[in-house]
Amino acid sequence: MRVGVLTGGGDCPGLNAVIRAVVRTGIVDYGFEFVGFKDGWRGPLEADSQPLDVQAVRGILPRGGTILGSSRTNPLSDKATADGRTGLQRITENLAVLGVDALIAIGGEDTLGVASKLAGSGLRVVGVPKTIDNDLGATDFTFGFDTAVNIAMEAIDRLHTTAESHHRALIVEVMGRNAGWIALHAGIAGGANVILIPERPFDIEEVCDYVQHRFETRYAPIVVVAEGAHPKASTQVDNAKLDSFGHARLGGVGQMLAEEIERRTGKEARATVLGHIQRGGTPTAFDRVLATRFGVHAIRAVAAGESGVMVALRGTEVVKVPIEEAVNQLKLVPTERFEEAEIFFG
Ligand code: F6P
């Protein structure tokens, strides 16, 4: 059997660990052959592939990024139609020419949404969930999240000391377009004085009260804000640039907050945007282990003839769920979880 592997969407620490586990398990346990598709769905769409064997995956376990490259190419969009063939037809034909019998798609909501449609059309596809945002449904955790949280926590630890030296408010903007998991976990772990997440539109006056209160205790405030957080009665971003899945490129809420806090409190405030630092670099041990386990279970699912399923973490067990279950509903931060963090505000 010949299995294709691809990584789509925003990259994330742990992708290489999945690729390694898939290839090693597939070759050692089943005698499969592998083909790596380049840059997410662009690879199968344009028949752009590379051979993948044990040698090709040596030494990649601790490496961030993905040896296969990634992109946000959407094969289901009109742009993917060429020579009168839809993206789906192009992929089906290219896989047949390359002799690929099954695909393992490693990605987030968009990549897996396409995987699910392909599985529905008869191709054998197994999904592996990834996103630093941890907002995919049907799995307790995605790999990459723990690494991102640790990077953000370390940044907050560092910002505490400089904020205190200068008696400033420091605003840390972290990733999270729809869900505030990174902000919540890094904020709790780093002892933030305010955490703002997309699920809970904020009241700027309340934020300023927390900031003032923190200054009164003679310590400097740290505000952690997810990029998708927004004030009450306001939408996210107008006229933002959209990617091929229609998502707005976010960013800017941290700076907006710093200016508003400075104006309203009279205290100096600065913003730090962590951006892609959260996505790059070596994965934590937790993410390496989770990614490896996901890879092993994904190729076992392929060997068992399954399709349209995704590996997922439930408690400490790796299980399989329909891909649809994961992409149909985003996993948002529940109110009770936010309330636990709120105890420490101010
Ligand atoms: O989906 C993961 C994510 O990290 C989001 O939190 C963020 O909004 C987005 O990717 C950024 O993507 P890009 O690198 O394509 O701008």
Side-chain angles (χ1 to χ4, degrees):
M1 156 130 39
R2 214 152 196 241
V3 184
V5 185
L6 65 86
T7 52
D11 72 344
C12 136
L15 286 170
N16 285 326
V18 180
I19 298 169
R20 169 181 174 269
V22 163
V23 172
R24 296 265 301 256
T25 311
I27 291 174
V28 173
D29 283 2
Y30 304 104
F32 290 167
E33 282 178 19
F34 287 91
V35 170
F37 284 107
K38 295 189 192 163
D39 303 337
W41 290 114
R42 191 191 68 72
L45 204 54
E46 298 176 8
D48 191 0
S49 67
Q50 66 187 63
L52 268 187
D53 55 16
V54 172
Q55 198 53 34
V57 299
R58 286 222 188 277
I60 65 171
L61 172 67
R63 269 176 56 194
T66 159
I67 58 164
L68 296 175
S70 192
S71 75
R72 294 193 188 273
T73 303
N74 182 358
L76 304 180
S77 83
D78 293 342
K79 282 191 208 141
T81 301
D83 315 321
R85 295 175 305 158
T86 63
L88 194 59
Q89 286 164 336
R90 289 170 66 196
I91 290 179
T92 310
E93 284 170 27
N94 287 339
L95 294 188
V97 170
L98 290 164
V100 171
D101 311 292
L103 255 186
I104 292 186
I106 310 166
E109 143 199 37
D110 298 326
T111 306
L112 294 177
V114 173
S116 172
K117 296 250 162 44
L118 289 181
S121 80
L123 290 176
R124 198 194 296 186
V125 190
V126 168
V128 177
K130 74 80 236 187
T131 166
I132 62 163
D133 296 347
N134 198 39
D135 59 358
L136 267 175
T139 183
D140 290 350
F141 284 102
T142 46
F143 63 86
F145 172 64
D146 186 63
T147 307
V149 167
N150 275 285
I151 291 167
M153 178 195 73
E154 198 196 319
I156 296 167
D157 287 348
R158 289 172 185 277
L159 290 170
H160 272 295
T161 61
T162 174
E164 261 144 44
S165 307
H166 290 269
H167 318 291
R168 282 175 180 150
L170 287 181
I171 323 303
V172 193
E173 183 182 311
V174 298
M175 280 189 171
R177 66 169 82 231
N178 299 304
W181 289 108
I182 298 177
L184 183 80
H185 280 224
I188 293 174
N193 310 112
V194 187
I195 300 171
L196 305 174
I197 60 174
E199 295 88 334
R200 285 277 287 236
F202 59 86
D203 176 343
I204 187 70
E205 275 179 29
E206 202 183 352
V207 173
C208 289
D209 287 347
Y210 284 133
V211 166
Q212 286 283 25
H213 178 260
R214 178 73 175 176
F215 275 123
E216 279 156 24
T217 65
R218 281 184 282 120
Y219 287 97
I222 302 285
V223 178
V224 177
V225 58
E227 61 183 342
H230 48 93
K232 279 181 182 159
S234 151
T235 50
Q236 289 191 347
V237 185
D238 292 332
N239 302 321
K241 203 167 175 256
L242 301 182
D243 69 17
S244 71
F245 283 92
H247 300 308
R249 189 176 290 174
L250 301 180
V253 65
Q255 184 57 32
M256 181 280 273
L257 273 167
E259 286 167 20
E260 208 49 36
I261 288 170
E262 204 165 275
R263 197 175 67 76
R264 287 171 185 252
T265 66
K267 297 279 200 291
E268 201 180 355
R270 300 284 177 86
T272 298
V273 181
L274 293 187
H276 293 85
I277 291 171
Q278 295 157 97
R279 285 215 322 232
T282 189
T284 58
F286 180 89
D287 283 339
R288 293 182 201 192
V289 173
L290 181 58
T292 299
R293 293 182 71 205
F294 275 175
V296 168
H297 286 262
I299 195 66
R300 282 184 184 164
V302 169
E306 296 188 61
S307 184
V309 296
M310 179 192 95
V311 292
L313 188 70
R314 293 275 169 86
T316 56
E317 294 305 306
V318 177
V319 298
K320 278 163 288 177
V321 297
I323 298 180
E324 280 297 311
E325 211 180 290
V327 295
N328 277 349
Q329 212 177 359
L330 280 180
K331 187 178 67 203
L332 300 177
V333 173
T335 305
E336 320 80 76
R337 290 294 314 272
F338 186 75
E339 286 171 354
E340 291 166 3
E342 222 172 5
I343 297 168
F344 304 93
F345 286 9

PDB file of all heavy atoms in Angstrom, residues 10-11 72 130-133 175-177 182 227 243 248-250 276 279, ligand 1:
ATOM      1  N   GLY A  10      -1.753  26.606   9.236  1.00  0.00           N
ATOM      2  CA  GLY A  10      -0.640  27.200   9.971  1.00  0.00           C
ATOM      3  C   GLY A  10       0.235  26.097  10.548  1.00  0.00           C
ATOM      4  O   GLY A  10      -0.279  25.093  11.045  1.00  0.00           O
ATOM      5  N   ASP A  11       1.544  26.240  10.465  1.00  0.00           N
ATOM      6  CA  ASP A  11       2.401  25.172  10.988  1.00  0.00           C
ATOM      7  C   ASP A  11       2.340  25.168  12.512  1.00  0.00           C
ATOM      8  O   ASP A  11       1.737  26.058  13.123  1.00  0.00           O
ATOM      9  CB  ASP A  11       3.838  25.292  10.473  1.00  0.00           C
ATOM     10  CG  ASP A  11       4.580  26.453  11.118  1.00  0.00           C
ATOM     11  OD1 ASP A  11       3.930  27.332  11.706  1.00  0.00           O
ATOM     12  OD2 ASP A  11       5.821  26.482  11.023  1.00  0.00           O
ATOM     13  N   ARG A  72      -2.158  27.361   2.982  1.00  0.00           N
ATOM     14  CA  ARG A  72      -3.598  27.410   3.240  1.00  0.00           C
ATOM     15  C   ARG A  72      -4.379  27.226   1.934  1.00  0.00           C
ATOM     16  O   ARG A  72      -5.481  27.728   1.784  1.00  0.00           O
ATOM     17  CB  ARG A  72      -3.959  28.729   3.920  1.00  0.00           C
ATOM     18  CG  ARG A  72      -3.362  28.871   5.319  1.00  0.00           C
ATOM     19  CD  ARG A  72      -3.989  30.013   6.080  1.00  0.00           C
ATOM     20  NE  ARG A  72      -3.305  30.275   7.333  1.00  0.00           N
ATOM     21  CZ  ARG A  72      -3.584  29.668   8.483  1.00  0.00           C
ATOM     22  NH1 ARG A  72      -4.518  28.757   8.527  1.00  0.00           N
ATOM     23  NH2 ARG A  72      -2.916  29.985   9.575  1.00  0.00           N
ATOM     24  N   LYS A 130      -4.249  19.197  14.342  1.00  0.00           N
ATOM     25  CA  LYS A 130      -3.163  20.056  14.846  1.00  0.00           C
ATOM     26  C   LYS A 130      -3.632  21.496  14.849  1.00  0.00           C
ATOM     27  O   LYS A 130      -4.368  21.916  13.972  1.00  0.00           O
ATOM     28  CB  LYS A 130      -1.889  19.916  14.031  1.00  0.00           C
ATOM     29  CG  LYS A 130      -1.807  20.541  12.646  1.00  0.00           C
ATOM     30  CD  LYS A 130      -1.534  22.002  12.553  1.00  0.00           C
ATOM     31  CE  LYS A 130      -2.623  22.684  11.772  1.00  0.00           C
ATOM     32  NZ  LYS A 130      -2.420  24.067  11.468  1.00  0.00           N
ATOM     33  N   THR A 131      -3.303  22.207  15.865  1.00  0.00           N
ATOM     34  CA  THR A 131      -3.396  23.662  15.890  1.00  0.00           C
ATOM     35  C   THR A 131      -2.857  24.133  17.223  1.00  0.00           C
ATOM     36  O   THR A 131      -3.161  23.529  18.253  1.00  0.00           O
ATOM     37  CB  THR A 131      -4.814  24.212  15.695  1.00  0.00           C
ATOM     38  OG1 THR A 131      -4.822  25.591  16.067  1.00  0.00           O
ATOM     39  CG2 THR A 131      -5.865  23.494  16.532  1.00  0.00           C
ATOM     40  N   ILE A 132      -2.069  25.187  17.191  1.00  0.00           N
ATOM     41  CA  ILE A 132      -1.607  25.719  18.468  1.00  0.00           C
ATOM     42  C   ILE A 132      -2.789  26.310  19.242  1.00  0.00           C
ATOM     43  O   ILE A 132      -2.727  26.477  20.445  1.00  0.00           O
ATOM     44  CB  ILE A 132      -0.501  26.793  18.320  1.00  0.00           C
ATOM     45  CG1 ILE A 132      -0.999  28.016  17.556  1.00  0.00           C
ATOM     46  CG2 ILE A 132       0.743  26.214  17.687  1.00  0.00           C
ATOM     47  CD1 ILE A 132      -0.113  29.236  17.738  1.00  0.00           C
ATOM     48  N   ASP A 133      -3.879  26.631  18.520  1.00  0.00           N
ATOM     49  CA  ASP A 133      -5.021  27.300  19.169  1.00  0.00           C
ATOM     50  C   ASP A 133      -5.824  26.367  20.086  1.00  0.00           C
ATOM     51  O   ASP A 133      -6.603  26.839  20.907  1.00  0.00           O
ATOM     52  CB  ASP A 133      -5.964  27.867  18.108  1.00  0.00           C
ATOM     53  CG  ASP A 133      -5.312  28.959  17.274  1.00  0.00           C
ATOM     54  OD1 ASP A 133      -4.244  29.439  17.681  1.00  0.00           O
ATOM     55  OD2 ASP A 133      -5.878  29.326  16.230  1.00  0.00           O
ATOM     56  N   MET A 175      -1.752  34.450  20.039  1.00  0.00           N
ATOM     57  CA  MET A 175      -2.627  33.944  18.975  1.00  0.00           C
ATOM     58  C   MET A 175      -3.922  33.374  19.550  1.00  0.00           C
ATOM     59  O   MET A 175      -4.022  33.084  20.730  1.00  0.00           O
ATOM     60  CB  MET A 175      -1.898  32.923  18.123  1.00  0.00           C
ATOM     61  CG  MET A 175      -0.974  33.586  17.103  1.00  0.00           C
ATOM     62  SD  MET A 175      -0.297  32.422  15.933  1.00  0.00           S
ATOM     63  CE  MET A 175       0.467  33.544  14.761  1.00  0.00           C
ATOM     64  N   GLY A 176      -4.877  33.192  18.683  1.00  0.00           N
ATOM     65  CA  GLY A 176      -6.198  32.684  19.091  1.00  0.00           C
ATOM     66  C   GLY A 176      -7.252  33.530  18.414  1.00  0.00           C
ATOM     67  O   GLY A 176      -7.624  34.576  18.930  1.00  0.00           O
ATOM     68  N   ARG A 177      -7.670  33.081  17.214  1.00  0.00           N
ATOM     69  CA  ARG A 177      -8.609  33.938  16.472  1.00  0.00           C
ATOM     70  C   ARG A 177     -10.043  33.814  16.988  1.00  0.00           C
ATOM     71  O   ARG A 177     -10.755  34.796  17.066  1.00  0.00           O
ATOM     72  CB  ARG A 177      -8.514  33.685  14.975  1.00  0.00           C
ATOM     73  CG  ARG A 177      -8.959  32.334  14.536  1.00  0.00           C
ATOM     74  CD  ARG A 177      -9.101  32.236  13.024  1.00  0.00           C
ATOM     75  NE  ARG A 177      -7.853  32.000  12.354  1.00  0.00           N
ATOM     76  CZ  ARG A 177      -7.413  32.740  11.330  1.00  0.00           C
ATOM     77  NH1 ARG A 177      -8.124  33.740  10.898  1.00  0.00           N
ATOM     78  NH2 ARG A 177      -6.281  32.444  10.748  1.00  0.00           N
ATOM     79  N   ILE A 182      -4.907  29.785  24.391  1.00  0.00           N
ATOM     80  CA  ILE A 182      -3.504  30.155  24.669  1.00  0.00           C
ATOM     81  C   ILE A 182      -3.470  31.287  25.686  1.00  0.00           C
ATOM     82  O   ILE A 182      -2.710  31.254  26.662  1.00  0.00           O
ATOM     83  CB  ILE A 182      -2.757  30.576  23.377  1.00  0.00           C
ATOM     84  CG1 ILE A 182      -2.701  29.413  22.394  1.00  0.00           C
ATOM     85  CG2 ILE A 182      -1.344  31.073  23.699  1.00  0.00           C
ATOM     86  CD1 ILE A 182      -2.039  29.759  21.058  1.00  0.00           C
ATOM     87  N   GLU A 227      -5.552  37.502  20.063  1.00  0.00           N
ATOM     88  CA  GLU A 227      -5.673  38.378  18.890  1.00  0.00           C
ATOM     89  C   GLU A 227      -7.124  38.577  18.442  1.00  0.00           C
ATOM     90  O   GLU A 227      -7.453  39.601  17.845  1.00  0.00           O
ATOM     91  CB  GLU A 227      -4.859  37.812  17.716  1.00  0.00           C
ATOM     92  CG  GLU A 227      -5.347  36.442  17.290  1.00  0.00           C
ATOM     93  CD  GLU A 227      -4.536  35.794  16.185  1.00  0.00           C
ATOM     94  OE1 GLU A 227      -3.804  36.498  15.494  1.00  0.00           O
ATOM     95  OE2 GLU A 227      -4.661  34.573  16.033  1.00  0.00           O
ATOM     96  N   ASP A 243      -7.804  35.013   3.945  1.00  0.00           N
ATOM     97  CA  ASP A 243      -7.050  33.936   3.307  1.00  0.00           C
ATOM     98  C   ASP A 243      -8.012  33.101   2.466  1.00  0.00           C
ATOM     99  O   ASP A 243      -9.200  33.411   2.365  1.00  0.00           O
ATOM    100  CB  ASP A 243      -6.278  33.107   4.351  1.00  0.00           C
ATOM    101  CG  ASP A 243      -7.175  32.285   5.256  1.00  0.00           C
ATOM    102  OD1 ASP A 243      -8.353  32.080   4.902  1.00  0.00           O
ATOM    103  OD2 ASP A 243      -6.701  31.841   6.309  1.00  0.00           O
ATOM    104  N   ALA A 248     -10.050  36.196   8.408  1.00  0.00           N
ATOM    105  CA  ALA A 248      -9.381  37.493   8.456  1.00  0.00           C
ATOM    106  C   ALA A 248      -8.005  37.357   9.083  1.00  0.00           C
ATOM    107  O   ALA A 248      -7.798  36.522   9.966  1.00  0.00           O
ATOM    108  CB  ALA A 248     -10.206  38.454   9.295  1.00  0.00           C
ATOM    109  N   ARG A 249      -7.053  38.134   8.587  1.00  0.00           N
ATOM    110  CA  ARG A 249      -5.742  38.187   9.248  1.00  0.00           C
ATOM    111  C   ARG A 249      -5.897  39.157  10.406  1.00  0.00           C
ATOM    112  O   ARG A 249      -6.172  40.340  10.213  1.00  0.00           O
ATOM    113  CB  ARG A 249      -4.696  38.670   8.260  1.00  0.00           C
ATOM    114  CG  ARG A 249      -3.303  38.536   8.803  1.00  0.00           C
ATOM    115  CD  ARG A 249      -2.282  38.933   7.772  1.00  0.00           C
ATOM    116  NE  ARG A 249      -2.184  37.985   6.685  1.00  0.00           N
ATOM    117  CZ  ARG A 249      -1.425  38.193   5.608  1.00  0.00           C
ATOM    118  NH1 ARG A 249      -0.740  39.302   5.484  1.00  0.00           N
ATOM    119  NH2 ARG A 249      -1.361  37.286   4.663  1.00  0.00           N
ATOM    120  N   LEU A 250      -5.730  38.651  11.609  1.00  0.00           N
ATOM    121  CA  LEU A 250      -5.999  39.478  12.789  1.00  0.00           C
ATOM    122  C   LEU A 250      -4.742  40.177  13.287  1.00  0.00           C
ATOM    123  O   LEU A 250      -3.680  40.078  12.700  1.00  0.00           O
ATOM    124  CB  LEU A 250      -6.576  38.601  13.907  1.00  0.00           C
ATOM    125  CG  LEU A 250      -7.876  37.867  13.572  1.00  0.00           C
ATOM    126  CD1 LEU A 250      -8.327  37.054  14.757  1.00  0.00           C
ATOM    127  CD2 LEU A 250      -8.963  38.841  13.158  1.00  0.00           C
ATOM    128  N   HIS A 276       4.233  34.856  15.434  1.00  0.00           N
ATOM    129  CA  HIS A 276       4.646  33.526  14.987  1.00  0.00           C
ATOM    130  C   HIS A 276       5.725  32.887  15.851  1.00  0.00           C
ATOM    131  O   HIS A 276       6.050  31.710  15.654  1.00  0.00           O
ATOM    132  CB  HIS A 276       5.095  33.587  13.523  1.00  0.00           C
ATOM    133  CG  HIS A 276       3.940  33.893  12.615  1.00  0.00           C
ATOM    134  ND1 HIS A 276       3.514  35.175  12.365  1.00  0.00           N
ATOM    135  CD2 HIS A 276       3.088  33.080  11.953  1.00  0.00           C
ATOM    136  CE1 HIS A 276       2.469  35.140  11.562  1.00  0.00           C
ATOM    137  NE2 HIS A 276       2.185  33.887  11.300  1.00  0.00           N
ATOM    138  N   ARG A 279       4.552  29.795  17.183  1.00  0.00           N
ATOM    139  CA  ARG A 279       4.374  28.641  16.307  1.00  0.00           C
ATOM    140  C   ARG A 279       5.687  27.989  15.908  1.00  0.00           C
ATOM    141  O   ARG A 279       5.692  26.865  15.390  1.00  0.00           O
ATOM    142  CB  ARG A 279       3.645  29.079  15.027  1.00  0.00           C
ATOM    143  CG  ARG A 279       2.195  29.331  15.233  1.00  0.00           C
ATOM    144  CD  ARG A 279       1.316  28.959  14.074  1.00  0.00           C
ATOM    145  NE  ARG A 279       1.829  29.215  12.774  1.00  0.00           N
ATOM    146  CZ  ARG A 279       1.173  29.892  11.824  1.00  0.00           C
ATOM    147  NH1 ARG A 279      -0.005  30.425  12.106  1.00  0.00           N
ATOM    148  NH2 ARG A 279       1.664  30.028  10.636  1.00  0.00           N
TER     149      ARG A 279
HETATM  150  O1  F6P B   1      -4.839  28.853  13.215  1.00  0.00           O
HETATM  151  C1  F6P B   1      -3.658  28.992  13.887  1.00  0.00           C
HETATM  152  C2  F6P B   1      -3.195  30.420  13.918  1.00  0.00           C
HETATM  153  O2  F6P B   1      -2.036  30.347  14.653  1.00  0.00           O
HETATM  154  C3  F6P B   1      -4.159  31.463  14.461  1.00  0.00           C
HETATM  155  O3  F6P B   1      -4.141  31.613  15.845  1.00  0.00           O
HETATM  156  C4  F6P B   1      -3.693  32.713  13.765  1.00  0.00           C
HETATM  157  O4  F6P B   1      -4.732  33.647  13.665  1.00  0.00           O
HETATM  158  C5  F6P B   1      -3.290  32.199  12.435  1.00  0.00           C
HETATM  159  O5  F6P B   1      -2.867  30.878  12.618  1.00  0.00           O
HETATM  160  C6  F6P B   1      -2.228  33.022  11.754  1.00  0.00           C
HETATM  161  O6  F6P B   1      -2.006  32.465  10.505  1.00  0.00           O
HETATM  162  P1  F6P B   1      -0.989  32.999   9.412  1.00  0.00           P
HETATM  163  O7  F6P B   1       0.360  32.574   9.841  1.00  0.00           O
HETATM  164  O8  F6P B   1      -1.406  32.315   8.165  1.00  0.00           O
HETATM  165  O9  F6P B   1      -1.135  34.478   9.372  1.00  0.00           O
END
